[in-house]
């Protein structure tokens, strides 16, 4: 009986953690980013729910107010915004933004050709990411990177995404 209960708990990981809320394009972007990191002998990024929340808020804010900047409509920079969403301040953090791209391949290509954005993609200190895309009159993509796994998961599906 104990074995059956343990097996059930292991195969139902969402009793222990929430799965990331990534849609198909965000999941594909995560896979592309992780493939790019692997090509450069870096580890895969896991998904941080805190950074997903931060990225979603930022992409919605840019779409709602029709602007494109690392400073949001409340006057917060990337790091203050992450802190307000509960991500620690004393760890590696970064943000990539893109606007006007329809596909995840196009977004990654743009980030790869931009030195600062590429540095974030290939930063060995980053362990997790939050991704979001919101479309208004244009599509706004946000990637929030962090060096701390803030919501550890247990179970098979939580080990790696992408």
């Amino acid at each position: 009986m104990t074995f059956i209960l343990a097996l059930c708990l292991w195969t139902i990981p969402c009793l222990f953690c929430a799965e990331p809320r990534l849609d198909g394009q965000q999941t594909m972007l995560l896979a592309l980013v992780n493939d790019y990191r692997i090509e450069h002998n870096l580890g895969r990024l896991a998904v941080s729910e805190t950074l997903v929340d931060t990225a979603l808020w930022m992409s919605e804010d840019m779409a709602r107010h029709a602007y494109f900047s690392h400073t949001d409509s409340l006057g917060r920079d990337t790091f203050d915004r992450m802190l307000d969403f509960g991500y620690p301040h004393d760890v590696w953090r970064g943000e990539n933004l893109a606007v006007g791209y329809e596909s995840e391949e196009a977004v990654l290509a743009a980030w790869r050709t931009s030195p600062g954005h590429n540095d974030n993609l290939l930063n060995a200190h980053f362990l997790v990411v939050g991704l979001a895309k919101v479309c208004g009159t244009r599509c706004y993509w946000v990637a929030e990177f962090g060096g701390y796994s803030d919501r550890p998961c247990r179970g098979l599906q939580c080990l790696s995404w992408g």
Side-chain angles (χ1 to χ4, degrees):
M1 185 67 132
T2 304
F3 174 73
I4 293 171
L5 177 60
L7 180 61
C8 288
L9 292 177
W10 183 256
T11 58
I12 306 174
C14 292
L15 290 175
F16 300 106
C17 63
E19 289 186 39
R21 300 178 321 268
L22 299 182
D23 68 17
Q25 283 190 310
Q26 295 158 344
T27 300
M28 178 58 76
L29 180 57
L30 176 62
L32 292 171
V33 167
N34 279 334
D35 288 348
Y36 184 53
R37 288 175 60 87
I38 288 167
E39 289 173 18
H40 290 84
N41 299 313
L42 296 169
R44 292 179 175 275
L45 297 173
V47 175
S48 161
E49 278 294 318
T50 303
L51 294 181
V52 170
D53 292 344
T54 307
L56 182 59
W57 187 92
M58 183 60 176
S59 57
E60 287 174 346
D61 191 56
M62 288 190 296
R64 182 180 315 110
H65 298 287
Y67 72 93
F68 183 66
S69 172
H70 290 282
T71 302
D72 65 31
S73 66
L74 301 177
R76 299 177 298 183
D77 66 17
T78 301
F79 308 117
D80 287 339
R81 187 171 44 260
M82 287 179 170
L83 186 61
D84 286 350
F85 274 86
Y87 198 74
H89 72 289
D90 57 347
V91 299
W92 286 85
R93 296 168 294 160
E95 179 178 71
N96 282 5
L97 305 177
V99 63
Y101 299 96
E102 294 299 322
S103 74
E104 55 279 354
E105 294 90 355
V107 169
L108 182 62
W111 286 342
R112 287 175 63 164
T113 60
S114 166
H117 293 104
N118 194 57
D119 287 349
N120 281 341
L121 292 170
L122 299 178
N123 187 325
H125 296 285
F126 291 148
L127 305 174
V128 294
V129 67
L131 299 167
K133 173 191 173 193
V134 172
C135 296
T137 55
R138 301 188 303 173
C139 292
Y140 295 85
W141 297 78
V142 177
E144 305 287 3
F145 299 94
Y148 171 71
S149 184
D150 58 323
R151 295 190 192 171
C153 289
R154 295 169 182 79
L156 290 175
Q157 293 178 354
C158 296
L159 294 177
S160 175
W161 295 283

